[in-house]
Amino acid sequence: MNSLSRFFWFCSGVHIKTLEKHPTEHNKYIGIGATIFFTGLFAALSGGYAMYFVFKGDPAAIVFALFFGLLWGLAIFNMDRYIVSSINKNASTWQQIAQATPRILLAIMIGIVISRPLELKIFDKEIKERLKISYVNSQRSRIDTLNSSFNKKYTIELNKFQEAKTQRDSLASGIKEDRQKLNFEIFGNKTSETSGVMGYGPYAKRKEMELQQRTINLDFLNSDLRRMENFIANRKEFDGLMSERLYTGKQLDSLTSLAGFADRNWALGQLSYNPDGTRDVNTSIAVTFIGLLFIFFECLPVFVKMMSSRGPYDHSIGNIEYAQVNTSDKDKDYEVDVTDGIQETRVNTEIEKRKHLLKN
């Protein structure tokens, strides 16, 4: 038998010397061992991928990922090997079910732990898009909160600024209308408010003086508005509003690439929902079935061992265990009989020894 088959036998937890005597059982335990091996391999990949994100950005991230992935894979491999090898096929069906129930529950837990990091990799593109939406919404909410806080803090100044701005607009509009009326008066355009006589008469002079005064007032008002705008701008910069901007595409790409395991895990959970909060049935089913696939794969060695009939290998193992138990019982009887047989001699010898010590 080649070394690969023996390796898978080792993975299945069988007694290799006994299994070699039963060729009809070889393939069954090769299959069980291969399943346990690949479960441990998936666990190593899953653990390494998860640890890579924990230490992402650190120069030694790959080293940590490789070390932890190998350690985690070996731990899961050893646990699966024990779970399968500990099921006694010589017991009754109900006894086997009782033995397998806690092991299946443990296998389900292991399957969930293994599947999550691998799901993160499978849905990597969708997770990044969901993280971008989350970051943009979070930044928009932060900006809205800052603006709301700023408006409450400087309510009086903002109201004064808005009133002055409204007054400025009204004054500028009035000046524009009066300037048009002055032109009509000078050029002799007859209206309800002009004389219709062409030339620069007393009415035109008075109108021009009024325009000059209102223009001066407008200049003063614009000066006050600029001062108020500078004050508000300085306050916004001081309170941090000027430094807050919505993320650009490059910034979002950078943020998603640096996202940690917790953020990506949250985003994976959010894939089952659309941005508007409704249920995304298709994605939810896909995520669920991928998780169930890994859970089933983790439970598969236990199911195979339970579903397989009691073969010659199991019978031989039962005989070996019975013989070992019987040998242990006989050894116990031997030791008890020997101890009982020499007890009187041991007592008499000890009595003579102590008498001798007392005499001396």
Side-chain angles (χ1 to χ4, degrees):
M1 186 60 63
N2 60 44
S3 57
L4 182 61
S5 298
R6 297 179 67 86
F7 172 73
F8 287 141
W9 289 349
F10 166 77
C11 294
S12 66
V14 297
H15 189 262
I16 295 178
K17 289 185 178 180
T18 303
L19 183 61
E20 287 177 336
K21 301 176 183 178
H22 307 287
T24 58
E25 297 279 82
H26 290 180
N27 289 335
K28 179 174 74 175
Y29 286 97
I30 288 175
I32 294 174
T35 305
I36 294 174
F37 170 76
F38 284 110
T39 302
L41 180 61
F42 283 134
L45 294 174
S46 174
Y49 183 73
M51 189 56 59
Y52 175 76
F53 272 97
V54 172
F55 291 97
K56 193 171 183 180
D58 192 299
I62 296 179
V63 176
F64 285 126
L66 290 174
F67 175 75
F68 181 80
L70 180 62
L71 186 65
W72 180 248
L74 289 174
I76 299 300
F77 168 79
N78 183 66
M79 192 175 299
D80 283 343
R81 187 171 180 268
Y82 164 74
I83 289 173
V84 173
S85 63
S86 61
I87 296 176
N88 183 11
K89 291 299 297 181
N90 294 304
S92 66
T93 302
W94 289 108
Q95 287 177 331
Q96 291 184 43
I97 293 174
Q99 290 176 355
T101 299
R103 290 163 173 78
I104 291 174
L105 294 176
L106 181 59
I108 291 173
M109 293 178 62
I110 294 173
I112 293 173
V113 173
I114 290 175
S115 66
R116 200 61 175 180
L118 295 178
E119 288 173 358
L120 293 176
K121 185 59 180 176
I122 292 171
F123 293 98
D124 183 64
K125 183 178 179 181
E126 291 79 6
I127 287 172
K128 287 183 177 179
E129 292 300 321
R130 185 52 59 93
L131 284 174
K132 288 180 181 179
I133 295 174
S134 174
Y135 291 150
V136 169
N137 290 338
S138 177
Q139 185 67 358
R140 184 179 289 114
S141 176
R142 175 177 172 79
I143 292 174
D144 291 342
T145 301
L146 288 174
N147 283 326
S148 177
S149 177
F150 181 84
N151 291 337
K152 290 180 180 179
K153 186 176 181 180
Y154 297 100
T155 303
I156 297 175
E157 290 82 356
L158 290 171
N159 287 338
K160 287 183 178 180
F161 175 75
Q162 193 62 38
E163 290 174 1
K165 191 175 179 181
T166 302
Q167 186 179 355
R168 188 271 313 271
D169 294 341
S170 178
L171 183 58
S173 178
I175 290 174
K176 184 178 179 181
E177 291 178 1
D178 288 346
R179 195 177 300 280
Q180 187 177 19
K181 293 176 183 178
L182 176 61
N183 291 332
F184 286 167
E185 179 66 26
I186 294 173
F187 293 103
N189 295 331
K190 177 65 176 174
T191 66
S192 59
E193 297 182 4
T194 59
S195 62
V197 178
M198 184 176 180
Y200 192 70
Y203 180 79
K205 291 180 180 180
R206 187 174 70 254
K207 203 68 175 176
E208 185 176 23
M209 290 178 64
E210 290 177 359
L211 278 173
Q212 289 177 352
Q213 184 61 45
R214 296 181 73 181
T215 301
I216 293 172
N217 293 338
L218 180 61
D219 291 339
F220 279 119
L221 193 55
N222 282 327
S223 178
D224 288 341
L225 281 171
R226 284 193 293 271
R227 179 180 56 79
M228 296 173 70
E229 282 180 341
N230 290 333
F231 172 80
I232 293 173
N234 290 334
R235 291 295 88 191
K236 285 186 175 181
E237 186 173 359
F238 179 79
D239 290 352
L241 267 72
M242 304 301 290
S243 60
E244 295 294 336
R245 296 286 187 277
L246 288 178
Y247 295 122
T248 63
K250 290 184 178 180
Q251 288 176 323
L252 288 173
D253 290 338
S254 177
L255 287 172
T256 53
S257 64
L258 295 175
F261 185 84
D263 287 345
R264 295 174 64 83
N265 185 57
W266 171 86
L268 178 60
Q270 292 299 309
L271 290 181
S272 298
Y273 300 90
N274 294 312
D276 59 0
T278 58
R279 187 81 172 178
D280 187 346
V281 179
N282 293 331
T283 305
S284 178
I285 292 175
V287 174
T288 301
F289 271 88
I290 288 175
L292 291 175
L293 176 63
F294 284 103
I295 293 172
F296 175 77
F297 191 79
E298 173 64 29
C299 298
L300 188 60
V302 180
F303 292 149
V304 171
K305 186 69 177 289
M306 287 187 62
M307 290 186 298
S308 61
S309 59
R310 183 171 179 264
Y313 168 78
D314 300 306
H315 187 75
S316 296
I317 289 296
N319 291 338
I320 292 172
E321 291 177 349
Y322 177 81
Q324 289 176 344
V325 171
N326 186 61
T327 300
S328 178
D329 291 339
K330 295 301 180 183
D331 289 343
K332 181 195 71 172
D333 294 339
Y334 166 78
E335 293 294 336
V336 170
D337 291 342
V338 170
T339 301
D340 291 342
I342 66 174
Q343 182 67 15
E344 184 177 354
T345 304
R346 290 171 65 188
V347 171
N348 293 333
T349 302
E350 185 65 21
I351 291 173
E352 293 298 327
K353 181 179 178 181
R354 294 189 181 187
K355 284 182 179 181
H356 180 72
L357 290 174
L358 288 173
K359 289 178 181 181
N360 292 333

